[in-house]
Amino acid sequence: MAPPRPLTSTLALSLSVILLLLLLSSTSQAHNITRILAKHPELSTFNHYLTVTHLAAEINRRQTITVLAIDNAAMSAILAKHLSIPTLKNVLSLHVLVDYFGAKKLHQLTGGSTLTASMFQSTGTADGTTGYVNITNLKGGKVGFGTEDNNGKLNSFYQKSVQEIPYNISVLQISQVLTSAEAEAPTAGPSDVNLTSILAKQGCKAFSDMLIATGAAATFQTNVDGGLTVFCPTDAVITAFAPKYKNLTTPQKLALVLYHGIPVYQSLQMLKSSNGVINTLATDKANKYDFTVQNDGEEVSLETKVVTAKVTGTVLDQDPLVIYKVDKVLQPKELFKVVKTKAAPAPKEADAPSDDNADAPSEDDADAPSEDDSADAKADDNAVSGLMKGGRLVVVGLSLCVGVLLM
C-alpha cells in the first residue's frame, strides 16, 4: 500500500477551494449600468436620467442588452425641450437595445444594416415598428443609428465602446440623441391617468367595478402622484371569487379592495429585491392588512397567509404608477381564515387517560392559516432545489480536479 501524500492532498484541497470561490463569484456577478457609467464623467447626465426614469433598474435586470450612451453636451439638446419624466423615459428607452451589439459586431453586420428593437418598442408603448432602431455600417468604418419612424435618417453615429461584457451588456457611446416624434409625444402625467379605465381595458373590468362600487377608486387615484402599485385580479379570477365577496359587509369589501394597493411605486425589479412584509392601502393602526412578497427567480408571489397569488403580467409601468395582474384575489387574514387540516391522532398508550376532546381542533388551530407550515416546507424545498441546481456543476468540476490531482 502506497504511503499517503499529505502535501499533494493539501494542494488539491487548496486548488479545490480556489476553484469553488471562482465559480461562485462568476455566477453571482451582475452588471450595473450606474456603476459602469459612473467611471465616465462626460456621461453623468445620461447616467442621472437613467436613474430618475427607473430605466437603470430595467437595464440591470436584463441579461442581454446594449446601451447607447450620450455625453453631457448631447443630452442638453433633449433636456432643452423640457419633456416630462414619462416622456423622457420613452426617449431614453430608444437608446436601450434588447440585443447585444459590441463594437466588432457593428462593423460586421450581415448586409451592412440591421433593424433591432429598443426597450421603447418591447414594452408595448410604441405602435407598429416605431421603437425599432436602424443600425447601418457606412463606408470608412462609420456606423450610423436612426429610429424607424425618422424616415430612415441616420442622425447619430458610433463614437466609442465604453464597456463590453459579451454577451451580457454592451455600452456604446453615440454622437446624438435618437429622435422620434412618437417617443417625444406628450405622455399623460400620473394625475391625468384614469386608473379604472385602464383596468377595465386590460382584462380587469370586474376589479375596476369593485373599486368604483366600494368608493376605493378615489383613494387609489389620490395616491398616484405619491407612488402607487396596484395588483388587479383578472375578470375570471373575480368571477370565481364572487360568492365569497358577496358575504362580506360593506366595510369589509372596501378593506379587501384597498388591500390590492401599495402606497409606493414598486417596479418588478424592486419587488424582487425587497422580499418581505409590505403594508397596503388597507393598513391602519387597528389592522395590519399586510402581505409578504417573495420571488423564485423571475416569478413573484404575494403571500397573505390565506392564499398565495402570483404576478402574471404588467399592465402599466409608468413611474410613479405600476399595475400588475395577479392570478388570485388577495385575501387578508383579517377577513378570511382557513381551518388547518387536522393531523391524524397519535396512537394512544394503553394506560393513557381518555380525553373526549383530545382530537377536537382548538380555537387557535381553527383560526390559524393553513399554509403556514407548507410555506416553510416549500421554502426549505426551494432552498435545497436551488442548491442542487446551482451547485451540481461546481461539485462535478471540483470532483474532476481533485481526482486528477490525487492520481
Side-chain angles (χ1 to χ4, degrees):
M1 181 176 179
R5 294 179 292 177
L7 182 59
T8 304
S9 300
T10 302
L11 178 60
L13 180 61
S14 299
L15 289 175
S16 299
V17 172
I18 292 172
L19 179 59
L20 176 61
L21 292 174
L22 288 174
L23 287 171
L24 290 178
S25 64
S26 66
T27 57
S28 63
Q29 290 177 346
H31 61 259
N32 186 308
I33 186 61
T34 303
R35 292 178 183 173
I36 292 173
L37 295 176
K39 302 174 185 177
H40 304 271
E42 71 279 9
L43 303 175
S44 61
T45 303
F46 179 76
N47 192 16
H48 170 72
Y49 281 100
L50 286 185
T51 300
V52 170
T53 58
H54 296 288
L55 279 172
E58 287 297 312
I59 292 170
N60 293 340
R61 182 176 67 85
R62 293 176 178 261
Q63 295 182 348
T64 303
I65 206 83
T66 299
V67 179
L68 304 177
I70 311 296
D71 66 20
N72 298 341
M75 278 294 294
S76 63
I78 193 68
L79 295 178
K81 296 183 179 182
H82 302 291
L83 303 176
S84 66
I85 294 300
T87 302
L88 184 59
K89 180 178 182 179
N90 289 342
V91 174
L92 294 183
S93 294
L94 285 169
H95 298 73
V96 185
L97 310 181
V98 293
D99 197 359
Y100 182 88
F101 289 90
K104 184 177 180 181
K105 184 176 179 179
L106 291 180
H107 298 285
Q108 297 179 346
L109 297 173
T110 303
S113 181
T114 188
L115 198 63
T116 187
S118 69
M119 193 175 287
F120 180 53
Q121 192 279 332
S122 67
T123 56
T125 308
D127 292 330
T129 57
T130 301
Y132 281 90
V133 175
N134 185 334
I135 307 175
T136 301
N137 185 16
L138 305 168
K139 293 181 179 179
K142 194 174 184 180
V143 179
F145 296 80
T147 57
E148 184 66 5
D149 66 333
N150 195 28
N151 298 319
K153 181 180 179 181
L154 303 174
N155 72 304
S156 190
F157 302 92
Y158 170 75
Q159 290 190 315
K160 67 178 182 180
S161 173
V162 177
Q163 184 167 342
E164 298 178 26
I165 307 176
Y167 293 88
N168 189 354
I169 184 171
S170 173
V171 183
L172 310 174
Q173 184 177 338
I174 60 176
S175 60
Q176 300 293 331
V177 173
L178 298 176
T179 57
S180 165
E182 182 162 341
E184 294 181 27
T187 303
S191 298
D192 299 325
V193 172
N194 188 320
L195 180 60
T196 54
S197 177
I198 292 173
L199 292 171
K201 293 177 181 178
Q202 296 294 330
C204 296
K205 186 178 185 307
F207 182 68
S208 175
D209 292 342
M210 288 166 63
L211 282 174
I212 296 171
T214 59
T219 303
F220 275 76
Q221 197 69 47
T222 55
N223 275 275
V224 171
D225 283 332
L228 179 66
T229 301
V230 181
F231 299 98
C232 65
T234 58
D235 289 343
V237 172
I238 293 292
T239 299
F241 180 74
K244 283 188 176 182
Y245 183 71
K246 291 177 181 177
N247 289 331
L248 297 177
T249 65
T250 299
Q252 288 175 334
K253 289 179 180 178
L254 174 60
L256 175 71
V257 176
L258 292 175
Y259 189 62
H260 288 72
I262 300 174
V264 290
Y265 170 84
Q266 290 276 312
S267 69
L268 198 58
Q269 182 63 28
M270 291 176 180
L271 286 176
K272 292 175 183 177
S273 61
S274 61
N275 283 190
V277 177
I278 193 164
N279 291 335
T280 68
L281 291 176
T283 301
D284 57 30
K285 293 181 180 179
N287 297 291
K288 290 184 177 181
Y289 279 105
D290 54 26
F291 55 74
T292 302
V293 178
Q294 296 289 344
N295 77 286
D296 181 9
E298 292 299 305
E299 189 175 82
V300 176
S301 298
L302 312 176
E303 301 174 1
T304 75
K305 293 188 181 292
V306 178
V307 297
T308 297
K310 291 182 174 59
V311 173
T312 58
T314 303
V315 174
L316 176 73
D317 185 351
Q318 184 178 302
D319 184 29
L321 172 65
V322 60
I323 305 172
Y324 301 108
K325 287 184 180 180
V326 290
D327 65 352
K328 291 181 182 178
V329 172
L330 302 180
Q331 300 177 41
K333 58 184 179 295
E334 287 82 1
L335 299 180
F336 303 92
K337 301 201 181 216
V338 179
V339 177
K340 184 181 292 186
T341 303
K342 187 175 69 173
K348 295 182 180 180
E349 295 181 7
D351 57 347
S354 175
D355 187 350
D356 294 337
N357 295 323
D359 295 337
S362 67
E363 184 177 349
D364 291 340
D365 287 340
D367 289 342
S370 62
E371 294 187 4
D372 284 355
D373 297 335
S374 61
D376 291 339
K378 182 179 178 182
D380 292 339
D381 290 344
N382 287 342
V384 173
S385 177
L387 179 61
M388 292 298 293
K389 292 179 181 177
R392 187 174 294 120
L393 182 59
V394 174
V395 172
V396 172
L398 290 177
S399 299
L400 289 175
C401 291
V402 173
V404 170
L405 288 170
L406 292 178
M407 287 180 63

